[in-house]
Structure formats: structure tokens, C-alpha cells
Amino acid sequence: MTDTDNGQMYAPFFGAMGATAAMVFSAIGAAYGTAKSGTGVAAMSVMRPELIMKSVIPVVMAGIIAIYGLVVAVVVINGISDGYALSRSFMHLGAGLSVGLSGMAAGFAIGIVGDAGVRGTAQQPRLFVGMILILIFAEVLGLYGLIVALILSTKSIS
């Protein structure tokens, strides 16, 4: 293995894997959350079609998770340049894994809570506020991963 100007020749691979992990895992979480809560909306709409618009909130919240991964993937890809240091590429890999895996966990939580929540809201409308609060706490898991990923990806290594 030969060194490039400021790093290893394989350093961009780890940065690209960070961007890939950010997009893939957060998209898996968003897709699962959308599908799982979407089935709940479909089942609920048979009983109470007037509640469909209120019940779409978990689907929207699940979709936001993928945006977190997209933001970090763009930041990481824009950080790859000539003289890309190996240590910086590991920071980018960590950033991608941070937002990706926390986004996947948040998407799973949103899907499960959204599915049960919209079905329960159809039977007891007072459950709606509690469902929203739980969804917010599930969404914030992905936001924590985004914050850590942005800190990791912009960290300067001396």
C-alpha cells in the first residue's frame, strides 16, 4: 500500500462507506416506519375515515428520518477530497453509522408506535395526544444520531 499526499489510498473507501451507511440504514428505518404505520392508517380508516389526516402524522415523522441520513451523506461526500486522511475517513464512517443506526432504530419505534397508536386513536380519540408525545420521543432518537454525526463529520483532526 502506498501513501497518497496526506493519507492512505484506501481512505476514501471508509468515507464513502460512512455516506452509504447514513443513507441505507436511515432509509431502512424510514421505510419500515412508513410501512408499519401506513398499515395502521389503512386499518383505522375502515372504522373512522374522518381521522385519516390526523393519522398520517407517524408516516410523515418516519419520512423525516431519511432526511437526516441524506444530510449526513452529503456532508460526508463533500468532505472527501485530495489528501483525505485516514483518521478523517474513520470519523466520517462513524458519522454515517451514528445517524444511520439511530435512524433505523427511530424508524422502527415510529412504525410500531404509529401502527398501534392510530388503531387505538380510532377506538379512543383521547389517545391521540399520548401517541404524538411517544412519537416525538421516538423521533428524537434519530435527531440525537444526526447531532453526533454532524459533530463527528465536522471535527477537525490535528
Side-chain angles (χ1 to χ4, degrees), residues 42-121:
M44 181 278 315
S45 66
V46 172
M47 295 185 293
R48 303 278 303 270
E50 67 274 7
L51 295 177
I52 291 175
M53 291 313 291
K54 281 174 69 173
S55 299
V56 174
I57 292 172
V59 175
V60 172
M61 291 180 82
I64 292 170
I65 298 294
I67 296 172
Y68 296 162
L70 177 65
V71 167
V72 172
V74 167
V75 168
V76 167
I77 291 298
N78 283 333
I80 298 174
S81 61
D82 290 336
Y84 188 57
L86 188 59
S87 57
R88 185 152 181 83
S89 72
F90 288 148
M91 295 290 264
H92 285 163
L93 177 62
L97 288 171
S98 170
V99 73
L101 293 176
S102 65
M104 188 167 67
F108 281 18
I110 289 170
I112 293 167
V113 170
D115 180 32
V118 297
R119 290 175 194 250
T121 300

